[in-house]
Amino acid sequence: MVDESLSPRPSGHTSGQGRLAAFRKAEELVRRRPLDALTLLRPLLDSDPDKPSVQLLAGRAYFHSAQLNRAERAFTKVVELDPSDHYARFVLGRTLQRLGRLIEARAQLRMATAMNPVPEYQDALGQVTARVALNRDD
């Protein structure tokens, strides 16, 4: 159930500042209350569907609420809008991994790691690569 204090203003009354406030509140909630974050993001997704930041935050909320197909669509849209977004590629790879699509996950994680070789990306790539190798041996 969504806390009433989190409900966005009806569309048409949401100013630029109101949209920014909703976005910031959704950022705070995305990990612990992803469904509430999505409620706050809905007007932004309707008004600004091609904003990578909105799609990325929605994708994270979908991921944390186990709506993996929706997460995949949101992250894919971010990558289409900004192919150089290494974080979007990383979370797309993690989403594909959870969906069991390891070859596709590995491709995204390879690109993310090549763009930004941080330990978190390298570890994820190593996990998926090992899993793919194990599956080949079965």
Side-chain angles (χ1 to χ4, degrees), residues 19-36:
R19 287 193 303 271
L20 180 59
F23 183 87
R24 295 290 180 225
K25 185 66 176 175
E27 277 183 318
E28 292 174 22
L29 295 172
V30 73
R31 288 185 79 81
R32 46 189 177 89
R33 291 174 44 200
L35 297 177
D36 288 342

Side-chain angles (χ1 to χ4, degrees), residues 47-96:
S47 67
D48 298 312
D50 290 333
K51 270 203 169 162
S53 59
V54 173
Q55 288 294 328
L56 187 62
L57 188 55
R60 290 176 56 212
Y62 290 133
F63 182 87
H64 289 299
S65 62
Q67 297 179 63
L68 300 178
N69 290 317
R70 288 181 175 174
E72 177 191 2
R73 285 192 296 275
F75 295 139
T76 298
K77 185 158 192 155
V78 175
V79 168
E80 289 169 356
L81 294 168
D82 183 4
S84 67
D85 188 328
H86 60 84
Y87 181 73
R89 290 188 180 278
F90 169 71
V91 289
L92 176 56
R94 295 304 291 219
T95 301
L96 293 166

